[in-house]
Amino acid sequence: MQDLTIDYALRATWQAVTKLYNEEAKNYGLTMAIGFTLLSIDPKKGTPSTALGPKMGMEGTSLSRILKNIEERGYIQRRPNPNDGRGVLIHLTALGLEKRKDSKEVVLRFNDVVKEHLEQDDLDGFFKTIDVINKLILDKSIYIKTTN
């Protein structure tokens, strides 16, 4: 089956990347999910908590768990949003900025090593393929419902 389907290749590769990131994240006292969250928070202005879930493609329940965890670790602070009295901005603490830097270095290292092993045309083709898949999904062009 692995040689036959695009989704298998995507899924298996993402699982391998996730495992790799989690193994590396342990060296920094992090998980991939925490690193991804820290990278998704604007380091200067903070990020509205309501914008974080959609930005990361996560459900609210999972995100709430991660935010609670990283707040307890001292990586973030929740502050009132000055532009929306009901909203909350998530800001990185000094420790959170340090952990964000570590996460960014891990991601950039991954990208650099992969790029060292690919020709630019191959990389361009990869991104073109990903763009087409995402467009088909966004346009709901894969499973078109017909009415009878």
Side-chain angles (χ1 to χ4, degrees), residues 56-98:
M56 297 174 61
M58 288 185 80
E59 296 295 324
T61 308
S62 299
L63 181 60
S64 293
R65 221 174 302 123
I66 292 170
L67 290 176
K68 182 176 187 249
N69 181 328
I70 63 177
E71 187 173 29
E72 288 171 355
R73 291 177 182 221
Y75 300 163
I76 63 166
Q77 291 178 333
R78 298 174 199 242
R79 299 183 197 153
N81 186 338
N83 301 323
D84 176 3
R86 299 166 296 161
V88 173
L89 289 176
I90 307 296
H91 286 273
L92 296 169
T93 63
L95 181 57
L97 285 166
E98 182 181 315

Side-chain angles (χ1 to χ4, degrees), residues 17 20-21 39 103-118 123 126-127:
V17 170
L20 175 77
Y21 275 155
L39 289 170
S103 299
K104 187 173 181 178
E105 288 173 5
V106 167
V107 170
L108 292 176
R109 173 77 177 137
F110 173 85
N111 278 269
D112 288 345
V113 171
V114 171
K115 286 178 180 180
E116 288 173 12
H117 290 82
L118 289 172
L123 195 56
F126 169 77
F127 282 113

Side-chain angles (χ1 to χ4, degrees), residues 135-148:
K135 185 176 182 339
L136 290 170
I137 292 167
L138 185 65
D139 293 346
K140 300 184 187 308
S141 299
I142 295 178
Y143 302 113
I144 301 170
K145 294 181 183 179
T146 57
T147 55
N148 293 348

